[in-house]
């Protein structure tokens, strides 16, 4: 054996690479998200991971740009996508004439951000996005459908106790306009955002420190103190006595959306108006969403998004309003796994392992075939090993059934099918074995 | 409206980006490949697209290396993967202690090669790979199972008339050893590879030109002239009178594999021994495969691979023999689409579009819910438009059914369900409508 110097096999920091059992679980989650998105009629899209830097970074700047994986190959300046929204904007602008609007698309794919690596932060991660894009206009009903999609998706993922928080940026923007604090609103929002963590008094203090008048601070505290049911909150908003048009439009939209969300079947226990959420500062222009798993509040929002006026303003003059959400699947998986909220239970894709008791593999092969032709995931143990080794392989991979073919079975035209979790073993003819395995396969 | 300068939205040359209807078809193909691979018990794996250059390029060189997308971010020298085999080698070496062997994994993912762009050549493309990795040894039965997987997969993809061509590199290598032509064998193989295109006489001429003796040329021509059924070919090989051990081992393996392939249920019409295929020069050490769609021979092999002695020799001293194949899915899709062998027929994910006849959307929403709760892919037309516009949307997207909710339907607690392909329209209660839609959904 050569003992030459080897390269140490290793994976880049910040890049998730799973064990097979974890990968099975991850894929199950991705499949559930995909089928939920398809349940709502979203079309699939798969844009390249690499784009021209000029195109991808048309809008970017600041922190985003420093995180980009950007390089030249020959004369071409390319970048790896950092989200799925910019490629969507490019796609819709580029294919405008070919698409039907409202254009409903989902995309589940990897995106790249060269952040400083730290626990739970990934440089390569999956996003699972949906967006609905209108041509010039888009009904508010779509804003109400989004929570219904979030609800369906997280129910499919096995969660019951989660809250979709909803706000409308017009309310916030109109409110700040009414206080003549538009310029300061980003800073004020950053302070308000800390409310949950630091409490009302510290927020008051911080607002005074940035130079707000007593009256403004009072109004802001009054605003963020609004509590109650969704309708109570909306009524309180109306009673603030603010006459700003944008504010009133936001309140009206929020009221409508709340009505429609109920009609879309989302229980009141799973959504709430939360006047303090803003979701970034420039992009969203109307409804905004966050989703909190109530048993795991510490991981923050697991599905966020909102309404925007112009998807593709850097590529086209066509006004393309839209509404969308994103699930950061890699981070979600990582966090839930850390918290032991999900557990990789399946360590095998196979329903059955076919083994020879006599080390004559030949009779095993047509039987494996028969199983596979019936859609049963089937593996043949190919090695010439002791029967104990073969069973150990099935045990370690937790393959549910072992089909044993020995001299008797060959003579009788049967298989001995052993259920590894119950230990029960039966000699069955092939079609009986298929029946039993299919029953088990369907029950999964 | 602002008329500022816009960035032209465009996609990099050599990067496939599909229309939604094509994407639906592409995903259907990828899903079929995935489920076929899972039918054979392969475990999923999803390695990063970016790897340390030192790790990814441990083995690479020559043409491969010049095609790599490689760059630095900070001090980290990274490269985008150019295949799925090197990341597998890294993964197996890295996780050796945690894996069960034989380790059967599939991976379907994008790989990157900065080739000169030309028609049908892609710089970003999907590969769909399976490999079976043994720990120190791997039974030849696995080599025979591979054609069974290819057979199942291409049948699932809708093909009947394809041929899996099989050879064994030991036969070729032993044959050249017996002629004392090991050094020249790569060159000779390159010439033999042209046989189909240029014919036997040109091949003879080319072999003479590189300086082979008359006897060697005669032997080579005799070798590549072997015809007949699989067993006839194997008999002819035995009758060549070559006593080289490697050659004889190859013939024995090929004979065994042919026997097992039949037991794995692959019809003789779908596979053949082809003594002229070699699949690259260094990597494969035993069985090699190519797959030809007989109606589309011009596109070359659509699924290739083979047996190798050492998966991960650049990372570990552990001998890890394996056998695997790869489908170049992006290229396959492109070629079949160009040849009109496949056609994007579904332009919508939705089974039904729910529309309001009265522009009161509210009664539509609970009905959409009921459909979705039954697993029916459902879209609600949200815009406040004329009914003709709503139908036009369904028509253009070829959504199979439209559920119309007007004043009568609200009063009666019904929907009017229109089949857009037959034109038939029925007023049904919700559970009848669900029945009808589910029947249609299941028939798809």
């Amino acid at each position: 054996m050569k003992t030459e110097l080897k390269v140490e096999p290793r994976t880049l920091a910040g890049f998730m690479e799973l064990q097979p059992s974890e990968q099975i679980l991850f894929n199950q989650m991705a499949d559930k998200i995909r089928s939920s998105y398809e349940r709502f009629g979203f079309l699939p899209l798969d844009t390249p991971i690499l784009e021209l830097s000029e195109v991808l970074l048309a809008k970017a700047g600041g922190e985003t740009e420093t995180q980009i994986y950007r390089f030249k190959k020959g004369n071409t300046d390319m970048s790896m996508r950092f989200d799925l929204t910019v490629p969507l904007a490019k796609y819709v602008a580029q294919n405008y004439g070919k698409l039907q609007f409202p254009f409903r698309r989902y995309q589940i794919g990897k995106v790249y951000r060269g952040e400083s690596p730290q626990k739970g932060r990934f440089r390569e991660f999956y996003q699972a996005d949906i967006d609905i894009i209108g041509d010039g206009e888009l009904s508010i009903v779509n804003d109400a459908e989004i929570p219904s999609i979030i609800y369906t998706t997280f129910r499919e993922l096995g969660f019951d106790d989660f809250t979709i928080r909803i706000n409308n940026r017009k309310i916030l923007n109109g409110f700040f306009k009414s206080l003549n604090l538009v310029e300061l609103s980003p800073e004020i929002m950053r302070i308000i955002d800390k409310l949950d963590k630091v409490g009302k008094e510290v927020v008051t203090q911080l607002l005074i420190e940035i130079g707000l008048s007593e009256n403004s601070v009072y109004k802001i505290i009054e605003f963020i103190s609004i509590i109650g049911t969704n309708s109570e909150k909306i009524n309180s908003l109306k009673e603030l006595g603010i006459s700003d048009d944008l504010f009133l439009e936001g309140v009206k939209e929020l009221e409508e959306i709340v009505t429609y969300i109920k009609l879309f079947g989302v229980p009141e226990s799973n959504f709430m108006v939360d006047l303090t959420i803003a979701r970034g500062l420039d992009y969203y222009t109307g409804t905004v969403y966050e989703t909190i798993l109530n048993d795991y509040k510490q991981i923050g929002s697991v599905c966020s998004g909102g309404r925007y006026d112009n998807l593709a303003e850097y590529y086209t003059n066509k006004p393309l309003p839209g509404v969308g959400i994103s699930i950061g699947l890699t981070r979600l998986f990582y966090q839930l796994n850390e918290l032991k909220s999900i557990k990789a239970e399946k360590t095998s894709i196979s329903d059955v392992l076919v083994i020879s008791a006599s080390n004559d593999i030949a009779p095993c092969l047509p039987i494996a075939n028969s199983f596979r032709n019936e859609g049963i995931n089937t593996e043949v143990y190919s090695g010439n090993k002791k029967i104990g080794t073969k069973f150990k392989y099935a045990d370690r991979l937790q393959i549910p059934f072992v089909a044993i073919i020995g001299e008797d079975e060959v003579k009788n035209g049967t298989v001995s099918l052993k259920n590894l979790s119950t230990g029960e073993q039966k000699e069955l003819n092939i079609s009986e074995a298929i029946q039993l395995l299919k029953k088990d396969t369907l029950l999964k």
Side-chain angles (χ1 to χ4, degrees), chain A residues 14-18 26 29 33 108-111 120-128 327-337 342:
Chain A
F15 287 69
M16 181 183 269
E17 193 170 61
L18 300 172
F26 186 94
M29 287 177 67
I33 293 172
I108 302 174
K110 287 177 170 179
V111 304
R121 282 272 172 198
F122 294 94
R123 290 169 161 183
E124 176 186 71
F125 56 98
Y126 277 93
Q127 288 195 330
I327 299 175
L329 182 54
T330 300
R331 189 163 163 273
L332 178 64
F333 180 87
Y334 172 83
Q335 302 268 25
L336 295 176
N337 209 17
I342 52 172

Side-chain angles (χ1 to χ4, degrees), chain A residues 68 83 99 145 192 206 208 239 261 272 283-284 296 308 325 359 366 389 415:
Chain A
I68 302 293
D83 71 7
L99 301 175
E145 193 179 30
I192 291 176
L206 290 168
I208 290 167
E239 285 161 7
I261 292 175
M272 65 179 277
Y283 193 55
Y284 296 119
Y296 309 103
Y308 41 87
I325 45 165
N359 274 337
T389 307
V415 300

Side-chain angles (χ1 to χ4, degrees), chain A residues 145-321:
Chain A
E145 193 179 30
I146 294 283
S148 164
I149 303 165
I150 300 174
Y151 175 71
T152 302
T153 305
F154 279 84
R155 295 275 295 184
E156 284 286 319
L157 289 172
F159 295 98
D160 290 311
D161 190 10
F162 55 89
T163 307
I164 305 160
R165 299 192 189 186
I166 300 157
N167 196 11
N168 192 306
R169 288 294 304 267
K170 289 178 187 170
I171 296 175
L172 289 173
N173 294 345
F175 174 68
F176 290 123
K177 208 145 64 83
S178 77
L179 295 176
N180 266 318
L181 289 173
V182 172
E183 313 269 285
L184 278 175
S185 68
E187 218 166 326
I188 299 171
M189 284 310 303
R190 263 192 294 275
I191 293 171
I192 291 176
D193 207 38
K194 296 178 182 155
L195 183 64
D196 274 357
K197 282 186 195 145
V198 301
K200 216 177 281 181
E201 299 203 358
V202 176
V203 166
T204 306
Q205 191 53 44
L206 290 168
L207 290 174
I208 290 167
E209 276 172 22
I210 61 166
L212 299 201
S213 72
E214 211 169 300
N215 178 54
S216 294
V217 174
Y218 175 80
K219 287 277 188 190
I220 292 168
I221 297 295
E222 188 186 12
F223 177 82
I224 63 178
S225 301
I226 290 174
I227 53 163
T229 64
N230 292 325
S231 7
E232 282 165 2
K233 280 179 187 161
I234 289 164
N235 284 334
S236 299
L237 282 173
K238 289 179 182 167
E239 285 161 7
L240 285 178
I242 296 170
S243 58
D244 178 82
D245 284 347
L246 192 64
F247 178 85
L248 295 175
E249 196 181 311
V251 174
K252 184 167 163 282
E253 285 185 7
L254 190 61
E255 190 167 20
E256 261 184 272
I257 289 164
V258 166
T259 307
Y260 285 135
I261 292 175
K262 289 181 213 163
L263 288 169
F264 269 117
V266 182
E268 288 248 28
S269 52
N270 287 104
F271 77 96
M272 65 179 277
V273 168
D274 179 343
L275 299 172
T276 68
I277 64 167
R279 298 301 316 159
L281 301 158
D282 304 322
Y283 193 55
Y284 296 119
T285 52
T287 316
V288 285
Y289 316 92
E290 291 189 351
T291 310
I292 305 295
L293 303 176
N294 294 321
D295 295 330
Y296 309 103
K297 284 188 178 160
Q298 68 272 36
I299 68 179
S301 175
V302 294
C303 179
S304 313
R307 155 79 77 147
Y308 41 87
D309 279 342
N310 253 319
L311 173 71
E313 59 180 326
Y314 290 80
Y315 307 124
T316 173
N317 283 315
K318 295 244 182 321
L320 297 166

